[in-house]
Amino acid sequence: MDPVNEHIRALQAYQPGLQPAQGEKVIKLNTNENPYPPPPAVLEAIRAESMDSLRLYPDPKSRSLRAAAAAVYGVEPEQVLAGNGSDEILGILLRTFAARGDRIGFYEPSYSYYKTLGAIHNLELVPTPVADDPGQLRLPDSKDLKVFFLTNPNSPLGFSVRPEFVVRLAGHVRGIVVVDEAYADFARWNCLPLIRSIPNVLVTRSLSKSYSLAGLRVGLAVGAHRWIEQMDKVRDHYNLSRIAQAAACVALREQDYLQENISRILKTRERLRREIGELGLRCLQSDANFLFVRFPSSEAASGAYRFLLERGVLVRYFPQEPLHDGLRISIGTERETDRLIAELKGTLES
Ligand code: PMP
């Protein structure tokens, strides 16, 4: 007898972007990390925390971190839940709001981890197709969804929808609409204000991208206290390490550093968009820290992926339709962008 649960045996595990071995010299533009370091005060906080108290368990309620996040987002600490990356929050959301056999919705393509998580929790997956143009985004056919995940800005395509669309979506879907705002700090708008007026909207945030802390693993959920208190029951009691809590608190207070970091990335994004256009390739509109670039064919896109990889430039290729003729390229430093453009020219000439 096979002791493994049948649905786990059938599960396709989530495929994260390639992580090079420690010390390998590559230009890493494949997982939307920030090319710049976190502020020095964050490293100080990590050092201080490591010296003093690692023999002790962390605060199970992440109180200081939730208070720091609440101050940034203009909400009460009781409206914030902290997670070990926003990935953990997504799992907590499903455990709180959906049970075996329930239906969950999302746009396709968007963040593919929703599907993995839905399968792990034995849920029925209800995708709604999305075109490149956000103006064409339609509401899901079915209203009967316990959770709907909206990746906004979308990954891997990069577009974002306005809060007015989310109001319509939340009026349409019977369950909770989770606006996954992992990239919202790079966008022109966000849906945090909606949590006051729309009862079934919850927002998730990540410190992995705009705050340059992907390695720390800190994500947040922001929403009505009555949802957050239920979610709080199903997380691991010590889900954030002492180091993560201490460092994230400081990072959230360094808002000037954050804004400077974001404006540098947006400037490079617009430069990259222009220069990729000059190469004759088409970039989709992006409100995030990456661009999705369409090639004339899937062979051209996968060929460019391999060409770049062989030269130590990592970007993301998704072999399945409708992404198979494109590459998702994270925004790096100006120097990394120089190299990327030079190598892209090389691939088009080869
Ligand atoms: N949502 C989206 C749309 C993402 O792209 C990612 C990063 N892969 C996450 C959530 C998870 O981010 P993290 O767990 O690092 O906060």
Side-chain angles (χ1 to χ4, degrees):
M1 194 198 89
D2 185 354
V4 176
N5 284 333
E6 209 177 309
H7 73 288
I8 299 299
R9 183 70 74 195
L11 182 72
Q12 296 259 1
Y14 176 74
Q15 289 278 333
L18 205 68
Q19 292 297 336
Q22 189 96 25
E24 218 178 304
K25 278 241 173 307
V26 292
I27 294 186
K28 195 166 179 312
L29 306 175
N30 66 338
T31 49
N32 301 337
E33 288 137 331
N34 197 306
Y36 302 110
V42 166
L43 305 180
E44 274 306 308
I46 291 175
R47 194 170 302 122
E49 195 64 36
S50 314
M51 305 275 267
D52 290 348
S53 16
L54 285 189
R55 65 191 180 79
L56 301 171
Y57 279 113
D59 174 7
K61 294 274 181 199
S62 298
R63 280 168 298 193
S64 307
L65 167 55
R66 286 166 52 225
V72 172
Y73 299 141
V75 297
E76 298 300 319
E78 294 73 29
Q79 293 178 272
V80 179
L81 183 91
N84 186 26
S86 56
D87 278 340
E88 188 199 19
I89 303 253
L90 301 174
I92 291 173
L93 278 159
L94 287 184
R95 292 208 293 283
T96 308
F97 294 105
R100 188 187 184 85
D102 282 345
R103 294 149 57 84
I104 62 159
F106 46 84
Y107 285 109
E108 178 91 326
S110 69
Y111 187 31
S112 63
Y113 191 45
Y114 310 139
K115 288 194 274 192
T116 312
L117 278 173
I120 290 171
H121 291 88
N122 256 315
L123 304 168
E124 189 183 330
L125 308 178
V126 185
T128 299
V130 35
D132 285 359
D133 174 4
Q136 312 250 321
L137 203 61
R138 58 180 176 84
L139 294 174
D141 288 337
S142 172
K143 299 175 177 215
D144 180 23
L145 302 164
K146 291 299 282 289
V147 174
F148 189 93
F149 289 110
L150 171 70
T151 322
N152 203 36
N154 180 284
S155 177
L157 296 176
F159 69 81
S160 77
V161 292
R162 289 175 181 271
E164 297 85 84
F165 178 82
V166 180
V167 172
R168 281 178 52 216
L169 181 64
H172 178 77
V173 168
R174 289 210 186 93
I176 295 285
V177 171
V178 176
V179 190
D180 177 344
E181 293 196 342
Y183 301 100
D185 285 330
F186 302 102
R188 288 162 293 170
W189 44 67
N190 68 71
C191 291
L192 267 180
L194 297 187
I195 64 164
R196 285 178 217 291
S197 50
I198 317 284
N200 59 335
V201 168
L202 265 161
V203 169
T204 60
R205 289 290 178 102
S206 172
L207 268 63
S208 299
K209 322 289 182 183
S210 52
Y211 286 88
S212 306
L213 290 171
L216 196 69
R217 311 303 302 127
V218 178
L220 302 159
V222 191
H225 177 212
R226 69 178 186 285
W227 307 139
I228 297 293
E229 72 180 340
Q230 298 306 316
M231 290 168 67
D232 200 41
K233 292 198 241 168
V234 307
R235 64 176 176 83
D236 284 343
H237 34 276
Y238 297 125
N239 61 337
L240 269 89
S241 72
R242 276 186 169 270
I243 289 176
Q245 292 186 36
C249 271
V250 173
L252 283 161
R253 290 191 199 116
E254 297 271 329
Q255 287 295 308
D256 290 347
Y257 185 98
L258 171 78
Q259 291 311 327
E260 242 175 70
N261 189 335
I262 292 170
S263 19
R264 260 192 298 183
I265 289 170
L266 296 189
K267 224 169 117 200
T268 308
R269 183 182 75 196
E270 292 321 302
R271 170 198 163 192
L272 182 61
R273 165 200 300 291
R274 202 177 53 246
E275 295 189 9
I276 286 180
E278 286 164 8
L279 296 179
L281 299 170
R282 189 165 69 90
C283 279
L284 304 191
Q285 183 195 333
S286 172
D287 247 332
N289 65 336
F290 56 84
L291 288 171
F292 193 82
V293 185
R294 292 250 186 237
F295 285 69
S297 65
S298 60
E299 291 74 28
S302 60
Y305 168 75
R306 283 192 303 273
F307 184 95
L308 292 171
L309 183 63
E310 281 160 15
R311 285 155 185 80
V313 180
L314 267 58
V315 298
R316 193 76 188 264
Y317 179 64
F318 301 93
Q320 65 281 18
E321 276 193 70
L323 304 170
H324 62 317
D325 63 347
L327 295 180
R328 190 192 68 187
I329 305 179
S330 312
I331 305 303
T333 62
E334 285 288 314
R335 284 188 59 185
E336 288 172 331
T337 306
D338 295 341
R339 256 294 296 289
L340 168 72
I341 290 289
E343 299 296 359
L344 273 175
K345 271 189 191 144
T347 179
L348 293 175
E349 284 158 10
S350 69

